Amino acid sequence: QVQLQESGPGLVKPSQTLSLTCTVSGGSITTNGYSWTWIRQPPGKGLEWMGSITFSGNTYYSPSLKSRTSISRDTSKNHITLQLSSVTPEDTAVYYCARDSWAVVDGTLDYYYAMDYWGKGTLVTVSS
């Protein structure tokens, strides 16, 4: 039921700010127990967690990107926004948004975690 869709320009010039929007449907970004995450994958490289925003609006960032990264939300539009400033060609990547979920395991007091829904991703190229 929950669907996520990344959108934004596919080409950004060096030194400018990359801005992407994750549109969430089928669920509210303010529902308790969920957070919303941005992940990226440069060509030929592994996945990199960038940061998250919780259902209450708290944000957390990768230490390597914290100085350049801002994640925000528009609750009226069910949007999660990523801004990455001062971009370089090394920021070229497929950018994904995903939902983080925690739940109680039936019959126990244990919890499990999952990034249970992902968008398809969008390629952003940083080039002059």
Side-chain angles (χ1 to χ4, degrees), residues 29-30 53-58 71-75 79-81:
I29 62 174
T30 61
I53 185 166
T54 72
F55 64 90
S56 59
N58 294 323
I71 297 174
S72 59
R73 63 180 183 171
D74 184 336
T75 58
H79 287 173
I80 309 296
T81 299

Side-chain angles (χ1 to χ4, degrees), residues 33-104:
Y34 302 121
S35 61
W36 307 86
T37 294
W38 286 97
I39 309 99
R40 69 178 183 178
Q41 185 172 35
K45 298 183 179 180
L47 299 168
E48 180 183 21
W49 179 82
M50 301 183 70
S52 299
I53 185 166
T54 72
F55 64 90
S56 59
N58 294 323
T59 53
Y60 304 89
Y61 301 105
S62 169
S64 64
L65 297 171
K66 184 176 181 179
S67 65
R68 298 195 292 131
T69 306
S70 177
I71 297 174
S72 59
R73 63 180 183 171
D74 184 336
T75 58
S76 67
K77 297 181 178 180
N78 235 29
H79 287 173
I80 309 296
T81 299
L82 170 71
Q83 292 186 303
L84 183 67
S85 65
S86 303
V87 298
T88 71
E90 286 69 40
D91 293 311
T92 295
V94 176
Y95 287 76
Y96 300 92
C97 59
R99 187 179 80 168
D100 301 338
S101 179
W102 293 264
V104 177

